[in-house]
Amino acid sequence: GGVVDGLAGARGPEGTDERVVTVLGGLTDVLFGVAALTWPTATVFVLVLVFGVRMVLFGLRLVAYSLGRRVPGDRPWPAATRIIGGLGTVAVAATAAVVAVAISSSGPADPGPFYATPDPLAETPGTVLRHEVIPGFTPAGTAHRVLYTSRDFDGRPAAASAIVVVPSDPVPPGGRPVLAFTHGTTGVARNCAPSLLGPSYATAMWGLEAFLDAGWVVTAPDYIGLGSEGVHPYLVGEAEAVSTLDAIRATIAMDPGSTSTTFAVAGESQGGQAALFTGEQAGTYAPELDLVGVAAVAPASDLRALFEANVGTTFGDILAAYALGAWSRVYDLDLDDVVDERARPVVDRIAGLCITGERETISLLPEAELLRLRFLTEAPWDVEPWSTLLDQNTPGHASTGAPILVVQGLDDPLVRPEVQRDFVARLCANGEVVDHREIPGVGHLGAGHAAEDLVADWLADRIDGEMVLTTC
């Protein structure tokens, strides 16, 4: 429609002013069309606003006519006023188009051939399939993007990806210990893998330089299904632990003479849950590795409490959509048991979007608003087998056998401090050695950076064999 109007204005017999107004109107329509095609969900809200305003004005005109009144629209506006108005609408439409294009193109790139699963696939967990240097990642060391063999949720061999950062300092006697850095929520689609971000991911890896300066080789797994092929088992603790432990094995295999089997794990949010499960699974899945400590910052330590408290909020609905969509595929469950069928397309669209930056997060907000209108038909924490799975993927059911640091921000609206205190109490009751710290004035998103010095010092003490002052 915009193209037709623009051509009609350019070729029409009207006067110069009228032709300009018509062309501007056509250009406005074209730009709004670009915005609508580029960011479809936002179109819903644009239509609500535009047609809502137009219907109100139309209704007012009808009322005025019914009362026998003349309305401003009956008299033609001056040409200069119409041209200025046309320029204004073009500016608004152009802004909408630029924002839509910027948001839609801001996500991580699709995984390239580096992430493709080799055929045949080496089946031994921790086998390095390929690796490449990431230039400019950090001046404190050399970063490698690594593809390695792990296991999917069903225990079958699968490729997984990670970033491995090796310090620049000389190798100490006995080799460098390994620190597994388990990341927080980035999404569930393949292109949400942090390793796809390249050097920009270094700033999100809180504590990276402090860890490297302390002599750790840092390995940051993407988890199965992020970057690599397959389904990402979002918030499935055992699967996260397996891909993390195999990433440690791959890190050692890259340079076995320089890297020891001593390791620790640190993570935030989803990564905190992954860190806790890695500690629980290490003794049985990778008994050849020597765990010295687990640091969990604002971990998702009680999934039932997490979703029960946050469903209905913007990010609570996004996380629930991620989890329910992923679990329906991992556990072969029917989403219709808990999700309104009219919300299914929204849940599917959210599964294709990432949380890897501000612009990517903005693209999720309209979807979250739609979920606030209609989402769940039943509370998953009250329906089987979803309820059991929430408990099953809550850490604390097995012994870690190494000291645990739990750090929690007191202003965290997502993972509540009181829920974390209950979790720590359960760990203490199970006989774990726990150091629980709370940081005033810290929310959820900034918890890792706020705790990085604390975590780095605590982990250094674990290497030095310092005694842990438990808070149990």
Side-chain angles (χ1 to χ4, degrees):
V3 171
V4 170
D5 287 348
L7 291 175
R11 300 177 179 178
E14 299 92 342
T16 302
D17 292 338
E18 187 65 31
R19 293 177 66 181
V20 170
V21 170
T22 305
V23 170
L24 290 176
L27 181 57
T28 298
D29 287 345
V30 169
L31 291 171
F32 272 125
V34 170
L37 290 171
T38 307
W39 192 7
T41 301
T43 307
V44 174
F45 298 94
V46 172
L47 290 176
V48 168
L49 177 63
V50 173
F51 282 99
V53 171
R54 292 184 67 175
M55 289 300 292
V56 168
L57 294 177
F58 179 67
L60 291 175
R61 287 174 62 88
L62 289 179
V63 171
Y65 276 124
S66 70
L67 297 176
R69 305 281 182 86
R70 290 180 60 85
V71 295
D74 293 337
R75 297 185 294 271
W77 293 90
T81 302
R82 298 175 66 194
I83 291 175
I84 292 172
L87 290 171
T89 58
V90 168
V92 171
T95 301
V98 169
V99 169
V101 171
I103 287 175
S104 66
S105 62
S106 61
D110 289 332
F114 178 89
Y115 292 85
T117 302
D119 186 17
L121 172 65
E123 296 190 2
T124 303
T127 300
V128 177
L129 303 174
R130 61 178 72 103
H131 65 91
E132 63 184 15
V133 172
I134 306 175
F137 195 84
T138 175
T142 302
H144 304 260
R145 184 179 287 108
V146 182
L147 192 74
Y148 61 95
T149 302
S150 187
R151 291 284 186 268
D152 64 14
F153 178 75
D154 295 320
R156 297 168 299 197
S161 53
I163 288 179
V164 175
V165 190
V166 182
S168 302
D169 295 337
V171 179
R176 298 186 179 98
V178 180
L179 175 63
F181 180 90
T182 48
H183 67 80
T185 300
T186 59
V188 296
R190 281 190 68 190
N191 65 324
C192 299
S195 67
L196 286 168
L197 299 174
S200 65
Y201 182 43
T203 58
M205 293 179 65
W206 49 269
L208 175 61
E209 292 193 6
F211 299 146
L212 295 173
D213 289 343
W216 298 94
V217 177
V218 179
T219 181
D222 288 329
Y223 313 134
I224 288 288
L226 296 181
S228 58
E229 299 168 5
V231 177
H232 171 49
Y234 178 65
L235 290 179
V236 177
E238 183 177 345
E240 294 166 340
V242 166
S243 59
T244 299
L245 291 166
D246 287 335
I248 296 168
R249 286 169 163 163
T251 301
I252 297 171
M254 287 178 63
D255 194 352
S258 300
T259 309
S260 74
T261 57
T262 300
F263 84 99
V265 57
E268 174 189 12
S269 192
Q270 177 196 2
Q273 182 223 23
L276 292 165
F277 268 98
T278 298
E280 294 178 9
Q281 296 290 320
T284 53
Y285 183 75
E288 78 279 11
L289 302 179
D290 180 20
L291 176 65
V292 296
V294 175
V297 180
S301 56
D302 188 332
L303 298 190
R304 178 186 295 270
L306 175 69
F307 290 119
E308 191 170 355
N310 292 288
V311 166
T313 66
T314 298
F315 284 101
D317 285 348
I318 291 172
L319 299 183
Y322 278 155
L324 294 175
W327 287 14
S328 69
R329 299 175 67 190
V330 170
Y331 295 108
D332 193 23
L333 302 176
D334 189 352
L335 266 184
D336 290 337
D337 292 342
V338 291
V339 175
D340 191 306
E341 65 178 6
R342 291 163 292 184
R344 286 288 299 274
V346 183
V347 173
D348 292 340
R349 287 199 299 272
I350 287 177
L353 299 173
C354 306
I355 307 177
T356 50
E358 291 182 359
R359 289 188 295 181
E360 295 89 339
T361 304
I362 289 173
S363 68
L364 279 162
L365 297 183
E367 307 289 359
E369 289 302 310
L370 291 177
L371 287 185
R372 293 180 70 174
L373 299 175
R374 182 176 289 112
F375 185 12
L376 299 178
T377 55
E378 299 286 346
W381 49 88
D382 291 332
V383 178
E384 292 294 351
W386 303 91
S387 177
T388 296
L389 293 175
L390 286 169
D391 293 336
Q392 180 179 309
N393 288 295
T394 290
H397 296 301
S399 176
T400 296
I404 301 171
L405 172 66
V406 177
V407 183
Q408 179 63 44
L410 290 179
D411 288 353
D412 192 333
L414 193 66
V415 178
R416 312 293 172 86
E418 60 273 17
V419 172
Q420 212 66 277
R421 294 184 193 116
D422 291 341
F423 170 67
V424 169
R426 292 199 305 274
L427 291 180
C428 292
N430 292 338
E432 302 285 4
V433 177
V434 186
D435 187 352
H436 181 212
R437 310 285 186 92
E438 294 181 334
I439 308 177
V442 171
H444 190 74
L445 296 180
H449 287 285
E452 59 185 357
D453 292 336
L454 167 62
V455 173
D457 292 343
W458 190 87
L459 290 173
D461 288 344
R462 304 290 71 76
I463 289 295
D464 294 338
E466 298 286 340
M467 182 178 294
V468 179
L469 298 177
T470 179
T471 53
C472 291

